[in-house]
Amino acid sequence: MNDDTPREMACQELVDVITAYLEGTLPDADRSRFDAHLATCSACQEYLEQMRALVRLTGKLSPRSLEPATVDSLLASFRRWRDSQTRL
Amino acid sequence: MGPTTETRVQETWLAVLTGITRFEGRSSVKTWIFKILTNRAKTRAIRERRTINFSELEDPKEPDQPAVDPSRFLPVAHPTHPGHWASPPEAWSASAEDAVVGREMMRVLQRELERLPPGQRIVVALRDVHGWPAVEVMRVLQRELERLPPGQRIVVALRDVHGWPAVEVCDVLGLSEANQRVLLHRGRSRLRGVLEAYFAENA
């Protein structure tokens, strides 16, 4: 192997840069190494699919940041504020 | 809801309402309100000298955990396949896809369930809905998401649950693009590992 040949990406490196790959922020040279490795490695293909499946699955979770009780409370304090304004 | 939450909610509204003249439409209302919420929480944490460590958000240098247990790879000194899988991931991405579809079906089912008389509804819900694999996977995922360290949890929640773009998450949390990605990567990698274990047990 001559020195100009880019080092082949190993599976262990691939799992470390997979988020950068999915985010589209991996530098071009690394993206090529990633794609080249992926083309020949079924285990890493499955790993990538698992990450994609995970993201889709997580997207199906219901957002909990605004639980009904919180929304009710927000609306209640908004109404109190509004009422205090109209009384003035 | 405790009095603390109530106070926090009041404070947020006050900040929203008094600041509304300063809102210039540069960010969406959603982003803007969230920013106020985080700033309030930061101020409060500083004031109360609470142990909540917001630097955890800015600095993802918590004990470094590899995306996958290193023992699952061949050593770097391996003559033919350095760093390649020694114990490759078992295929389950298709099962996870089923769960995604199952989740859609759940929504329809839930709506229909609401229309049943109460007695029937509770029996059907307990017997058929709770035991459904798709529901179980979602429960596991939700539980593990809540167990992530705060920085990872909030980034994964905003990016993957709420579907915010990276740039917005960086903006409201005051994170650099690189740190946001590190938190997302650690959070997602850990959740993938949990699902891998789950599917291995329940295959």
Side-chain angles (χ1 to χ4, degrees):
Chain A
M1 188 193 287
N2 76 50
D3 286 343
D4 297 335
T5 313
R7 194 169 39 86
E8 197 214 324
M9 186 173 282
C11 311
Q12 195 164 13
E13 183 185 351
L14 184 140
V15 302
D16 275 337
V17 299
I18 199 161
T19 304
Y21 179 84
L22 290 169
E23 296 277 275
T25 53
L26 205 57
D28 286 346
D30 288 335
R31 170 163 287 266
S32 304
R33 292 170 61 230
F34 190 109
D35 286 330
H37 176 90
L38 203 61
T40 61
C41 181
S42 59
C44 285
Q45 285 165 19
E46 171 63 21
Y47 191 90
L48 179 65
E49 276 320 301
Q50 290 180 2
M51 282 305 243
R52 288 187 167 136
L54 167 74
V55 173
R56 280 193 285 270
L57 209 53
T58 311
K60 299 289 176 196
L61 290 176
S62 7
R64 283 203 172 177
S65 62
L66 285 181
E67 287 170 347
T70 314
V71 174
D72 289 348
S73 173
L74 271 170
L75 288 174
S77 55
F78 172 73
R79 286 191 202 100
R80 274 198 296 280
W81 175 82
R82 190 191 52 198
D83 294 348
S84 72
Q85 296 300 299
T86 50
R87 256 185 266 119
L88 292 177
Chain B
M1 180 180 295
T4 324
T5 317
E6 173 70 16
T7 315
R8 190 150 49 234
V9 164
Q10 299 260 21
E11 278 182 10
T12 305
W13 267 116
L14 197 66
V16 168
L17 298 164
T18 54
I20 210 144
T21 48
R22 272 179 281 136
F23 176 66
E24 292 157 1
R26 274 180 307 206
S27 49
S28 68
V29 175
K30 172 191 74 181
T31 315
W32 181 63
I33 291 181
F34 191 84
K35 212 177 226 170
I36 292 174
L37 268 171
T38 20
N39 285 338
R40 291 271 126 185
K42 281 183 191 176
T43 315
R44 176 176 287 275
I46 293 163
R47 195 171 60 217
E48 295 176 4
R49 291 171 180 278
R50 285 237 300 275
T51 46
I52 295 173
N53 186 9
F54 275 90
S55 64
E56 225 172 323
L57 284 181
E58 280 116 39
D59 181 9
K61 284 195 196 75
E62 62 178 69
D64 202 2
Q65 285 176 327
V68 174
D69 182 352
S71 70
R72 295 187 53 184
F73 298 97
L74 298 170
V76 279
H78 193 272
T80 52
H81 294 88
H84 281 237
W85 291 102
S87 160
E90 292 291 329
W92 55 255
S93 57
S95 319
E97 285 308 304
D98 288 347
V100 172
V101 176
R103 186 67 177 171
E104 290 302 328
M105 286 163 62
M106 260 311 285
R107 293 234 161 87
V108 178
L109 187 64
Q110 210 125 36
R111 202 177 55 221
E112 294 306 316
L113 209 55
E114 301 293 318
R115 295 181 181 156
L116 292 177
Q120 288 178 28
R121 191 190 311 157
I122 199 155
V123 171
V124 173
L126 288 177
R127 289 213 18 217
D128 302 329
V129 180
H130 280 265
W132 217 18
V135 180
E136 184 59 28
V137 178
M138 299 309 283
R139 233 195 325 258
V140 169
L141 191 57
Q142 178 78 53
R143 191 186 63 213
E144 294 303 324
L145 177 65
E146 282 162 15
R147 284 180 185 169
L148 291 178
Q152 295 177 26
R153 188 173 60 219
I154 196 160
V155 170
V156 173
L158 290 178
R159 289 294 311 280
D160 295 342
V161 181
H162 294 259
W164 289 24
V167 62
E168 244 178 284
V169 174
C170 290
D171 186 31
V172 295
L173 298 180
L175 286 170
S176 71
E177 195 233 304
N179 283 354
Q180 188 263 166
R181 197 174 56 242
V182 168
L183 292 169
L184 182 66
H185 179 66
R186 291 193 182 153
R188 280 183 183 170
S189 297
R190 194 191 293 204
L191 293 177
R192 191 213 64 88
V194 166
L195 287 192
E196 180 174 38
Y198 171 83
F199 283 112
E201 252 177 55
N202 299 278

